[in-house]
Amino acid sequence: MRPFLMAGLMMVMAFGGARAQDIVNGTAASSPAHRNVLNAARAKAQQQLGKRVRFDIKQCQVVGDWAFLHAGMLDPNGQPISYAGTRFEDADRRGQKSSNYDALLKHADGHWTVRVDSVGATDVPWTNWSHDYGAPAKLFDDTVH
């Protein structure tokens, strides 16, 4: 039991400087690059939603100057994000939105920028991102659907 507690504590400490409220379920590492990727993606998601977002990280992969994030979106209380009051409200009401957030990011000039993202996809939006944006296919190798 102690090793699991220690591993969990180390994970919280590693992400504590950036956003301790994110939940790590997948392959996200505790590197500064991953924290910066998460912060850039979160800013973009929050801009589109007009509300605060936490991530339930399923995959956060960095390969060279490229990063891919596949995560669930949560509200500040840890519940799946509500689209009420957002531009996505009608689509959600019709069952056309999930709580997924997916983003492809590129590192340039010292910071990460979201090249393309998808808020609430009900399918797999990253299928052509490697081809369309020149990102390494390896980014998507271990993707959890």
Side-chain angles (χ1 to χ4, degrees), residues 8 16-17 19 37 58 82 101 112 116 132:
R19 301 286 184 199
V37 164
K58 306 204 184 325
S82 166
Y101 180 77
W112 288 96
V116 62
D132 293 348

Side-chain angles (χ1 to χ4, degrees), residues 51-64:
K51 55 174 71 179
R52 291 187 54 198
V53 175
R54 292 172 55 184
F55 287 135
D56 178 4
I57 302 162
K58 306 204 184 325
Q59 181 177 351
C60 184
Q61 181 90 1
V62 176
V63 175

Side-chain angles (χ1 to χ4, degrees), residues 33-34 36-48 53 55-63 65-73 98-107 112-121 123-130 133 135-136 138-141 143-144:
H34 282 90
N36 293 335
V37 164
L38 293 174
N39 288 338
R42 182 183 350 282
K44 183 73 170 178
Q46 289 179 163
Q47 174 189 27
Q48 293 185 67
V53 175
F55 287 135
D56 178 4
I57 302 162
K58 306 204 184 325
Q59 181 177 351
C60 184
Q61 181 90 1
V62 176
V63 175
D65 289 338
W66 290 94
F68 170 67
L69 173 65
H70 174 56
M73 295 181 292
S98 72
S99 62
N100 291 332
Y101 180 77
D102 302 290
L104 177 65
L105 299 91
K106 177 87 167 129
H107 189 262
W112 288 96
T113 303
V114 174
R115 292 291 308 274
V116 62
D117 70 342
S118 176
V119 174
D123 60 358
V124 182
W126 62 83
T127 303
N128 293 321
W129 287 359
S130 178
Y133 296 93
K138 184 177 181 177
L139 275 175
F140 312 97
D141 283 352
T143 304
V144 177

